[in-house]
Amino acid sequence: MVITQISKNHRQWIRGLQRRKNRDQEGVFVAEGFNALESALRSIHHPVLEVIADRNHIEAVADIIFNETPLYECSDSIMNELSTESTPQGVLTICRRSEFDSRNLGAGTSDVLLYLDRVSDPGNLGTIIRTSAWFGVRQLMLGPSCVDPFNAKSIRASAGALFAVELYMPVSPESMKGLAGRAGYQIIAMVPRGGISPEQVEKSGKNIIMMGQEAEGLSDELIGFADQVVSIRGRGDVESLNLSVASAIILYEMLK
């Protein structure tokens, strides 16, 4: 395998991928660490374009990547410059972003789908992606104002699960409602309070679960689309439940 020393221009291009505008224009993103690299190599989504490793990790990376994958070596100081982490893991994987068209959702689609409305915290989004993959929910729809799932923090929080799911984005509320009507999905709205408990949900064969923005919840428009409105009741004196925790509870209940 040929190992190439990374150039200055190449480094500048990689640093530019820390900005969403550049990621969107290029259709690529950076995933950090061995876990992300191994997940990417196993996945049919987001093919690996190239890998950058520091001198301490280059041999280990060369042992697991495909021979045709370009591999670049850099110093520890350059890895610190390229990484978004306070303690870099020594490996960067550059991936081509796969695009999923929500018009293809319908027949043959999973029985449970998630629709995320205006989720603004990348850590929450990454954790929801990880939680969904754990429960076997492989298709998520992101509303127009959701944070970028290819943000470094979101990828890190997904713990490799980003490569195991299909992200449909952006999907407007009207498109989501149209899918529900066309493919026979029941729509379930998760709200902080005032809804029925998860155990009381009348389960349909096919369900779309809507989760809303951390501070404000779902929009009134989306709540108006719902067949059932659900709340997770608490006993403590806390304002709200973390969004990723709420997603785990409702997915567990729906998939029991």
Side-chain angles (χ1 to χ4, degrees):
M1 171 175 287
V2 176
I3 300 174
T4 307
Q5 293 293 320
I6 195 166
S7 69
K8 182 178 180 180
N9 286 342
H10 199 162
R11 284 152 44 195
Q12 184 176 357
W13 175 72
I14 293 169
R15 286 198 306 272
L17 295 176
Q18 294 176 9
R19 295 188 289 276
R20 181 171 188 170
K21 176 182 177 182
N22 291 348
R23 291 194 298 272
D24 288 345
Q25 287 178 345
E26 299 275 353
V28 299
F29 63 94
V30 183
E32 302 197 33
F34 264 101
N35 184 40
L37 172 59
E38 290 171 344
S39 297
L41 292 173
R42 290 193 301 267
S43 176
I44 61 173
H45 306 321
H46 316 307
V48 175
L49 297 180
E50 62 184 47
V51 182
I52 299 93
D54 64 25
R55 290 164 186 160
N56 297 320
H57 297 87
I58 195 75
E59 291 185 10
V61 170
D63 285 342
I64 65 170
I65 66 172
F66 308 121
N67 287 334
E68 66 271 18
T69 304
L71 177 58
Y72 296 89
E73 183 179 11
C74 69
S75 65
D76 291 348
S77 61
I78 289 175
M79 181 57 69
N80 285 331
E81 168 193 317
L82 299 177
S83 174
T84 61
E85 299 183 356
S86 55
T87 305
Q89 300 180 54
V91 181
L92 303 177
T93 306
I94 313 299
C95 298
R96 172 73 59 192
R97 191 173 81 191
S98 295
E99 303 287 345
F100 299 99
D101 190 336
S102 61
R103 289 174 295 184
N104 295 329
L105 289 169
T109 300
S110 299
D111 289 342
V112 175
L113 301 175
L114 272 188
Y115 182 85
L116 303 178
D117 174 40
R118 299 173 295 158
V119 176
S120 59
D121 185 296
N124 268 343
L125 179 56
T127 304
I128 291 169
I129 290 170
R130 181 180 184 180
T131 301
S132 298
W134 172 260
F135 284 108
V137 176
R138 304 286 180 176
Q139 292 155 322
L140 291 82
M141 295 178 283
L142 276 59
S145 298
C146 277
V147 69
D148 183 15
F150 301 100
N151 171 297
K153 186 175 179 181
S154 180
I155 295 173
R156 189 157 53 245
S158 81
L162 176 77
F163 296 96
V165 301
E166 299 173 7
L167 299 176
Y168 295 81
M169 53 185 280
V171 178
S172 69
E174 294 79 12
S175 295
M176 184 275 299
K177 183 183 180 186
L179 165 66
R182 187 172 70 250
Y185 281 90
Q186 169 180 242
I187 300 177
I188 296 173
M190 298 298 299
V191 299
R193 52 192 60 84
I196 62 174
S197 67
E199 312 89 71
Q200 294 174 306
V201 172
E202 295 181 12
K203 296 178 184 178
S204 165
K206 303 175 79 172
N207 302 277
I208 295 174
I209 301 169
M210 302 188 299
M211 310 285 297
Q213 200 260 355
E214 292 88 353
E216 299 177 4
L218 289 167
S219 69
D220 291 340
E221 177 188 22
L222 285 168
I223 294 172
F225 292 162
D227 299 298
Q228 298 187 72
V229 178
V230 179
S231 300
I232 299 169
R233 296 190 179 96
R235 296 183 179 181
D237 200 17
V238 179
E239 182 180 350
S240 63
L241 186 65
N242 176 271
L243 187 63
S244 59
V245 174
S247 70
I249 293 171
I250 189 61
L251 287 175
Y252 173 78
E253 187 63 38
M254 294 300 297
L255 294 164
K256 280 198 302 189

